Amino acid sequence: MTPVQMEITALEEQLRLAELGPDADFFERVLADEAVIVTNGQAELAKRKIVEAHRPGQGGKFTSVVMSDIDIIDHEIAAVVTCRSTYESPQSTFTLKFMRVWARKSRGWQIVAGTIVS
C-alpha cells in the first residue's frame, strides 16, 4: 500500500464513522467548497446539502455503515476511491455505490468530486 493509499484509507474510515455520528464537521472539513457530486445523473455543488444532512437530528440515524469492495487508485496528488456502502437503520437497510476523488489541497485531503449510485 502506498503512503497516499494509507492516508486515504484512514480518511475513508473517518468518513464511515462520520456517517454513524452523524458528524457534520467532518464533512464541512473534507468536502471542497466546489465539490461536484453526481447523484442519479444530476451534477451539483452539494457541499451545503451534504453537511446539513449530517447535522444531528436532520437525517436518519444509522446503526451500521459497512464499506466493502474498496479500491483506492493513487495519483500522487489525487486518489480515486470506489466502494460499496451498506447503511442500516432501525427502519431499513440499503446499499449505495460510490466513487470519490480526493485531492491534496492546501488544507489537506479534500473530496473534490464524486458519484452516488443506488
Side-chain angles (χ1 to χ4, degrees):
M1 191 177 281
T2 71
V4 166
Q5 288 170 320
M6 289 189 296
E7 288 179 64
I8 298 303
T9 296
L11 286 165
E12 287 286 326
E13 175 60 10
Q14 290 173 36
L15 187 149
R16 187 187 73 76
L17 294 173
E19 292 279 13
L20 283 168
D23 182 356
D25 292 339
F26 174 82
F27 291 97
E28 180 73 45
R29 187 175 65 255
V30 302
L31 283 168
D33 289 339
E34 67 285 356
V36 175
I37 307 297
V38 178
T39 307
N40 299 324
Q42 299 295 313
E44 65 178 311
L45 297 174
K47 179 175 181 170
R48 268 307 113 222
K49 183 177 174 181
I50 293 169
V51 169
E52 290 306 314
H54 287 89
R55 294 210 185 280
Q58 293 301 309
K61 175 72 171 148
F62 298 123
T63 55
S64 173
V65 176
V66 177
M67 295 172 68
S68 61
D69 302 326
I70 301 168
D71 193 20
I72 302 171
I73 307 300
D74 178 354
H75 291 278
E76 296 177 11
I77 61 168
V80 177
V81 176
T82 57
C83 68
R84 187 179 310 260
S85 294
T86 301
Y87 298 86
E88 186 175 315
S89 73
Q91 296 79 26
S92 68
T93 299
F94 60 94
T95 299
L96 299 173
K97 297 176 190 172
F98 291 92
M99 186 275 303
R100 288 185 274 274
V101 179
W102 291 85
R104 191 187 315 260
K105 301 184 81 153
S106 61
R107 294 176 52 188
W109 287 103
Q110 288 192 306
I111 298 169
V112 296
T115 61
I116 305 168
V117 178
S118 54

